[in-house]
């Protein structure tokens, strides 16, 4: 026992030995929460309060669960294979294997992964005669998943369905559940919802499992959703021996169902609960902690705490204000490489709000032959939407490019399947011509049906038209023409409105790369651009050294730490995202995301922004409002912009500039601290009723971006939510 406790500070020790009754451990960033969890569980067992299999510990990742098992095994010197230390989903699967018969399922039920579930939804849509374009499998499955996490079954969802979109989704949901049951299968969300259902409806089962576990330990409690919360409530017995560990300031997954009120309301759920705050940080310098604390104190949904450390002082926070995104990337990479005498590449990380931001950093790293890795995402030029765009460009440049032809012939969908493509390929071989040439002559191919002949011919005409535009347009404008003529953007959004939006951002970032190429390359031809990005893409597998710089989104950085952290893209509209400006809860989550990113740093924290970011069509970007919340005495500011702005959420913008060409000054319409441009200066605002020529009447949910890049989220009465590019949407404002 003394060995277990001697390595703990006073607050950690209190959390470990306070074993009886409900306990909330508020574990600030870097305060040793994993140590507390593992020592508490080991203490309970070593003191004989419970046998190893009478304690349930749940967390969110297999990595975290594995680390807990290893530490407990080391502390106790025991075989931990019988212990219940796992993720929520793994626990539920194990529980249901033992009890599924009470729900009418066999113990050898199948678990569907996300791909299986999408395929099943797709079959349901087809069987019901519902358009898979209007109701994509991914978007319908997301609706079903959200409902299940709220513990709604198909019947309850149908009873509360409002509007055409929800009513059709309810039909799919009903058939989807029927097919799952007929297959003796659970999907990923069922593991939670069906476990709760079983415990709720079968008293004998619930009593048996409450008696089985004498103690419950929960990691990352701030990330629990409604189903997980109810699962825990039904597993805890009358002794209320439940200990939850978490930090509301690190709750960053509200977009996927996490409910911060679970941790904020713990004392109400468990009256008489003890609270232990872990405020000593073992990771960061006091300067970093002071800056992060100053920012997060602007949130209202939190419990007051003050992080401190015995690591005195530390470097000031560097805030670097750059003119363009490429200058931002070059400055960051120069700074990284200039510090390799102090830190290894693996001890430094570049964080960003969206995956699309990685492109500028990748190109800067490649120019310097610096090895890197991207966590949680593909290399920019290897992302599907970018490779599809490149394939169109390559086929325009080289009509004999068979691989590009095959890749894009049926994307977007043209009803040209594998059978038709095989027949066209055979015809091309017989005639000794390219696939594109065969497509242009498809009218004479007798083995093809009328629909396929027409489809191939129209595709060939499309490529011919794009070829004409490629001969006259700059590369960046040509890429936009490809997107417009092929309707790639519409196809991506139709596939999945959420991921489609991110893919649209990636395509806009690709256009930005082409625009930079056009202004900086002495021979900015299409062929040269394709050659350049192909060479870039060829270095993705560079692994000469295991020493690599890491890049990732802020969400993926949760739970990690580095000596030096660079948080990039600190601009209003990007971080925080523009769509969060009108929602205080979402804005607070954005602030928590910055807090998480900042507290990944052990020794050095750098925040950067770009005055002009082509993501917004060359418009000037205000510095993030969060920068103003850092006390100036903690900051070293480096201002490399041509025009200086003070920090703050609102200001008057200067003239809009693009590709070095002056554009007449035009005063934009101000909307909650972000500036948009629209035809005749008529701003589209959340809450307005609008009319679309195809989708009919709808209500504007959110507006994001500026000028030609402005996007509008509209919930249409007959078609459900749609994401539209304002420039092309042809919206008529019905009510202000």
């Amino acid at each position: 026992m003394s060995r277990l406790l001697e390595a703990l500070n006073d607050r950690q020790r209190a959390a470990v030995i306070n074993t009886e009754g409900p306990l909330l451990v508020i574990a600030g960033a870097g305060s040793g929460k994993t140590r507390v969890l593992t020592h508490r569980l080991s203490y309970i067992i070593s003191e004989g309060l419970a046998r190893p299999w009478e304690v349930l510990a749940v967390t969110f990742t297999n990595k975290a669960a594995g680390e807990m098992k290893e530490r407990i095994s080391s502390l106790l010197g025991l075989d931990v294979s019988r212990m219940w230390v796992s993720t929520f989903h793994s626990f539920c699967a194990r529980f249901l294997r033992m009890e599924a018969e009470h729900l009418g399922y066999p113990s050898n039920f199948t678990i569907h992964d996300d791909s299986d579930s999408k395929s099943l939804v797709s079959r349901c849509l087809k069987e019901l005669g519902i358009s898979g374009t209007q109701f994509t499998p991914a978007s319908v499955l997301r609706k079903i998943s959200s409902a299940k996490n709220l513990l709604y079954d198909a019947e309850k969802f149908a009873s509360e369905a409002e509007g055409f979109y929800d009513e059709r989704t309810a039909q799919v949901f009903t058939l989807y559940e029927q097919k799952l049951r007929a297959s003796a299968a659970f999907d990923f969300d069922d593991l939670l919802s069906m476990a709760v259902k079983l415990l709720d409806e079968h008293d004998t089962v619930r009593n048996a499992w409450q008696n089985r576990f004498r103690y419950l330990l929960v990691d990352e409690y701030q990330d629990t959703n409604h189903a997980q919360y109810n699962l825990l409530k039904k597993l805890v017995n009358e002794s209320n021996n439940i200990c939850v560990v978490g930090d509301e300031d690190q709750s960053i997954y509200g977009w996927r169902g996490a409910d911060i009120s679970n941790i904020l309301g713990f004392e109400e759920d468990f009256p008489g609960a003890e609270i232990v705050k872990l405020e000593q940080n073992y990771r960061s310098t006091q300067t970093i902690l002071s800056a992060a604390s100053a920012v997060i104190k602007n949130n209202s949904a939190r419990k007051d705490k003050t992080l401190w450390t015995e690591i005195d002082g530390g470097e000031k926070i560097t805030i670097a204000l750059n003119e363009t995104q490429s200058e931002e990337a070059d400055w960051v990479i120069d700074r990284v490489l200039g510090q390799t005498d102090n830190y290894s590449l693996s001890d430094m990380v570049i964080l960003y709000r969206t995956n699309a931001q990685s492109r500028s950093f990748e190109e800067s790293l490649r120019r310097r032959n610096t090895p890197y890795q991207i966590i949680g995402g593909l290399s920019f030029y290897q992302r599907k939407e970018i490779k599809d765009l490149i394939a169109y460009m390559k086929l325009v440049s080289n009509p004999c490019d068979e691989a590009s032809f095959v890749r894009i012939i049926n994307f977007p969908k043209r009803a040209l399947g594998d059978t038709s493509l095989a027949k066209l390929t055979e015809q091309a071989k017989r005639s000794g011509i390219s696939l594109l040439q065969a497509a242009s002559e498809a009218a004479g191919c007798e083995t093809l049906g009328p629909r396929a002949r027409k489809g191939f011919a129209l595709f060939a005409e499309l490529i011919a038209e794009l070829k004409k535009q490629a001969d006259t347009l700059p590369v960046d404008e040509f890429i936009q023409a490809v997107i417009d003529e092929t309707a790639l953007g519409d196809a991506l959004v139709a596939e999945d409105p959420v991921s489609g939006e991110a893919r649209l951002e990636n395509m806009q970032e690709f256009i930005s790369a082409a625009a930079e190429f056009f202004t900086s390359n002495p021979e900015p031809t299409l062929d040269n651009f394709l050659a350049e990005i192909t060479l870039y893409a060829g270095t993705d597998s560079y692994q000469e050294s295991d020493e690599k710089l890491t890049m990732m989104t802020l969400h993926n950085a949760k739970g990690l730490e580095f000596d030096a952290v660079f948080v990039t893209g600190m601009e209003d509209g990007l971080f925080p995202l523009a769509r969060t400006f009108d929602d205080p809860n979402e804005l607070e989550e954005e602030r928590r995301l910055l807090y998480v990113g900042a507290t990944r740093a052990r020794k050095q924290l750098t925040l950067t922004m770009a005055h002009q970011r082509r993501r917004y069509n060359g418009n000037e970007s205000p510095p993030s409002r969060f920068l103003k919340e850092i006390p100036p005495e903690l900051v070293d500011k480096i201002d490399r912009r041509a025009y200086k702005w003070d920090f703050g959420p609102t200001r008057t913008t200067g003239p809009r500039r693009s590709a070095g060409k002056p554009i007449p000054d035009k005063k934009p319409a101000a909307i909650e601290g972000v500036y948009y441009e629209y035809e005749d200066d008529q701003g589209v605002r959340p809450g307005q009723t609008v009319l679309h020529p195809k989708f009919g009447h709808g209500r504007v949910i959110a507006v994001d971006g500026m000028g030609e890049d402005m996007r509008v989220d509209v919930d249409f009465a007959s078609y459900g939510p749609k994401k539209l590019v304002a420039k092309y949407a042809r919206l008529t404002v019905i009510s202000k």
Side-chain angles (χ1 to χ4, degrees):
M1 181 179 67
S2 60
R3 184 172 59 87
L4 286 173
L5 299 179
E6 64 185 8
L8 305 175
N9 65 36
D10 290 344
R11 291 287 80 201
Q12 290 173 336
R13 190 176 299 112
V16 168
I17 65 176
N18 189 352
T19 59
E20 305 308 303
L23 175 67
L24 169 61
V25 180
I26 301 295
S31 61
K33 71 176 180 63
T34 302
R35 172 177 288 189
V36 166
L37 280 168
T38 53
H39 279 68
R40 179 182 173 87
L41 195 154
S42 300
Y43 178 82
I44 288 171
I45 294 172
S46 66
E47 287 295 286
L49 301 176
R51 291 172 292 185
W53 52 89
E54 293 177 326
V55 182
L56 171 63
V58 287
T59 186
F60 278 84
T61 67
N62 289 316
K63 179 182 177 182
E67 182 181 353
M68 288 175 63
K69 285 183 177 180
E70 289 177 7
R71 292 197 189 187
I72 294 166
S73 177
S74 176
L75 288 169
L76 294 177
L78 297 176
D79 177 11
V80 297
S81 59
R82 294 182 64 191
M83 295 182 66
W84 292 79
V85 180
S86 68
T87 65
F88 275 94
H89 288 89
S90 294
F91 163 74
C92 289
R94 188 175 172 185
F95 165 70
L96 288 170
R97 292 285 182 209
M98 301 170 69
E99 304 288 359
E101 61 178 328
H102 295 282
L103 295 172
Y105 281 80
S107 61
N108 64 337
F109 57 80
T110 298
I111 300 174
H112 278 6
D113 63 16
D114 190 57
S115 178
D116 297 327
S117 297
K118 284 181 182 177
S119 297
L120 183 56
V121 168
S122 182
R123 294 200 296 272
C124 291
L125 288 167
K126 186 175 182 180
E127 187 172 327
L128 292 168
I130 298 174
S131 169
T133 301
Q134 182 179 348
F135 295 84
T136 66
S139 62
V140 172
L141 183 60
R142 191 181 306 107
K143 274 270 192 181
I144 293 173
S145 176
S146 296
K148 288 187 176 185
N149 283 327
L150 291 173
L151 302 178
Y152 278 38
D153 58 15
E155 183 179 357
K156 185 173 182 180
F157 182 86
S159 68
E160 298 185 12
E162 294 183 358
F164 178 77
Y165 191 86
D166 278 1
E167 289 172 358
R168 288 293 180 270
T169 300
Q171 290 180 279
V172 179
F173 195 172
T174 300
L175 183 58
Y176 175 75
E177 282 199 336
Q178 292 172 356
K179 289 184 176 294
L180 280 174
R181 178 168 282 278
S183 302
F186 293 128
D187 67 16
F188 208 53
D189 298 306
D190 283 331
L191 296 177
L192 289 168
S193 62
M194 297 300 276
V196 173
K197 177 182 174 68
L198 198 158
L199 291 168
D200 186 46
E201 296 180 354
H202 297 272
D203 294 344
T204 55
V205 174
R206 182 176 65 255
N207 293 335
W209 282 83
Q210 287 178 349
N211 291 330
R212 175 188 291 263
F213 296 127
R214 304 187 65 179
Y215 294 90
L216 270 61
L217 286 76
V218 187
D219 189 18
E220 304 284 10
Y221 190 62
Q222 78 280 350
D223 292 333
T224 53
N225 62 23
H226 183 70
Q228 290 157 341
Y229 165 83
N230 277 273
L231 176 72
L232 295 169
K233 289 280 286 185
K234 295 184 186 306
L235 283 172
V236 67
N237 57 36
E238 60 185 13
S239 67
N240 275 341
N241 287 335
I242 180 172
C243 170
V244 303
V245 181
D247 179 9
E248 77 286 351
D249 288 338
Q250 297 186 69
S251 178
I252 59 174
Y253 297 112
W255 50 276
R256 69 181 189 192
D259 188 350
I260 194 174
S261 68
N262 291 346
I263 190 169
L264 293 175
F266 183 81
E267 300 99 305
E268 296 180 12
D269 291 328
F270 298 95
E274 294 288 336
I275 301 177
V276 175
K277 294 183 180 180
L278 305 182
E279 297 174 298
Q280 182 176 1
N281 177 283
Y282 292 91
R283 176 188 302 154
S284 306
T285 66
Q286 187 59 55
T287 300
I288 292 171
L289 294 182
S290 297
S293 296
V295 172
I296 201 63
K297 282 182 178 178
N298 290 279
N299 275 7
S300 59
R302 65 187 300 267
K303 296 177 180 293
D304 185 53
K305 57 182 171 293
T306 302
L307 294 186
W308 62 277
T309 180
E310 293 180 348
I311 306 172
D312 293 331
E315 297 181 33
K316 286 188 175 183
I317 311 303
T318 299
I319 295 180
L321 310 166
N322 299 277
E323 183 64 21
T324 67
Q325 64 194 70
S326 60
E327 291 178 12
E328 176 194 35
D330 287 340
W331 185 89
V332 169
I333 302 307
D334 286 344
R335 180 95 165 190
V336 166
L337 297 179
Q339 298 188 116
T340 51
D341 289 340
N342 300 320
Y343 309 123
S344 66
L345 285 178
S346 60
D347 286 332
M348 295 182 277
V349 68
I350 296 173
L351 304 178
Y352 33 75
R353 182 63 182 84
T354 66
N355 275 311
Q357 292 169 250
S358 71
R359 194 267 307 169
S360 296
F361 297 102
E362 288 188 75
E363 292 189 354
S364 186
L365 286 162
R366 286 165 175 156
R367 286 195 296 269
R368 293 162 172 78
N369 291 321
T370 302
Y372 67 92
Q373 60 178 337
I374 295 178
I375 304 300
L378 294 171
S379 173
F380 183 83
Y381 293 112
Q382 293 300 309
R383 292 165 182 156
K384 179 183 182 302
E385 61 274 14
I386 303 303
K387 290 181 70 69
D388 289 335
L389 261 179
I390 291 173
Y392 273 101
M393 296 164 68
K394 284 183 174 180
L395 189 58
V396 168
S397 176
N398 176 17
C400 295
D401 189 339
E402 180 174 323
S404 293
F405 182 98
V406 172
R407 180 181 182 90
I408 60 178
I409 185 58
N410 204 35
F411 187 78
K413 298 293 185 183
R414 299 183 176 90
L416 298 171
D418 293 341
T419 301
S420 296
L421 180 59
K423 292 178 179 178
L424 186 77
T425 301
E426 183 61 31
Q427 175 66 22
K429 287 181 179 179
R430 284 199 301 265
S431 303
I433 57 178
S434 69
L435 285 174
L436 184 60
Q437 180 71 24
S440 67
E441 300 173 1
C445 182
E446 296 180 356
T447 59
L448 292 171
R451 188 175 182 183
R453 290 198 294 268
K454 181 179 179 181
F456 282 123
L458 288 175
F459 178 78
E461 292 174 9
L462 169 65
I463 300 301
E465 176 58 31
L466 290 174
K467 173 63 175 173
K468 295 178 183 177
Q469 298 190 51
D471 292 338
T472 59
L473 294 175
V475 178
D476 56 330
E477 294 182 23
F478 169 63
I479 297 173
Q480 185 64 62
V482 172
I483 295 171
D484 293 341
E485 295 291 338
T486 61
L488 278 174
D490 293 341
L492 291 173
V493 173
E495 279 188 352
D496 186 331
V498 174
S499 67
E501 179 68 17
R503 290 179 174 183
L504 284 173
E505 289 188 4
N506 288 337
M507 291 198 295
Q508 290 302 313
E509 188 70 8
F510 186 57
I511 293 174
S512 297
E516 292 174 11
F517 173 84
F518 181 76
T519 57
S520 62
N521 195 290
E523 294 182 303
T525 64
L526 174 60
D527 289 342
N528 285 344
F529 179 67
L530 289 170
E532 181 169 299
I533 62 176
T534 300
L535 289 173
Y536 278 158
T539 66
D540 287 342
S541 59
Y542 178 71
Q543 295 179 347
E544 184 174 326
S545 170
D546 292 332
E547 179 67 18
K548 296 180 180 180
L549 178 68
T550 299
M551 298 191 295
M552 67 182 80
T553 65
L554 285 142
H555 283 97
N556 283 319
K558 180 79 175 293
L560 304 177
E561 58 183 70
F562 301 85
D563 282 340
V565 171
F566 296 82
V567 180
T568 62
M570 294 295 303
E571 302 130 39
D572 257 16
L574 178 57
F575 192 21
L577 293 173
R579 63 175 171 77
T580 67
F581 292 173
D582 295 324
D583 188 326
N585 292 328
E586 289 193 10
L587 187 60
E588 289 204 354
E589 182 156 316
E590 291 285 291
R591 188 177 282 110
R592 292 194 292 269
L593 191 56
L594 175 59
Y595 177 82
V596 167
T599 54
R600 301 309 94 196
R602 290 190 284 254
K603 301 177 181 178
Q604 186 184 97
L605 174 63
T606 303
L607 310 174
T608 70
M609 62 87 68
H611 184 55
Q612 295 186 84
R613 188 172 294 275
R614 290 185 182 274
R615 175 176 179 264
Y616 294 126
N617 199 35
N619 283 274
E620 296 172 341
S621 301
S624 171
R625 61 192 64 195
F626 297 153
L627 295 178
K628 188 178 181 180
E629 298 171 356
I630 301 175
E633 64 270 17
L634 301 178
V635 171
D636 276 335
K637 185 170 74 170
I638 300 173
D639 199 338
R640 307 171 70 240
R641 299 168 297 170
Y643 295 91
K644 312 299 184 186
W645 279 345
D646 292 330
F647 297 159
T650 59
R651 57 193 51 79
T652 302
T653 64
R656 174 172 171 251
R657 293 170 291 174
S658 178
K661 301 176 183 179
I663 295 179
D665 191 6
K666 179 180 180 181
K667 184 179 180 181
I671 304 177
E672 297 298 326
V674 181
Y675 296 93
Y676 304 94
E677 293 177 355
Y678 199 63
E679 292 183 3
D680 301 322
D681 285 325
Q682 295 298 311
V684 178
R685 295 182 296 277
Q688 289 179 329
T689 300
V690 294
L691 178 66
H692 186 276
K694 176 181 178 181
F695 303 131
H697 289 84
R699 184 171 62 88
V700 178
I701 304 301
V703 181
D704 189 12
M706 300 180 183
E708 295 185 352
D709 289 335
M710 187 169 75
R711 296 189 178 89
V712 185
D713 291 12
V714 183
D715 188 5
F716 291 100
S718 298
Y719 287 83
K722 299 287 182 183
K723 290 184 179 291
L724 307 171
V725 177
K727 178 181 178 181
Y728 305 108
R730 292 178 290 167
L731 294 174
T732 301
V733 177
I734 303 300
S735 66
K736 301 294 184 181

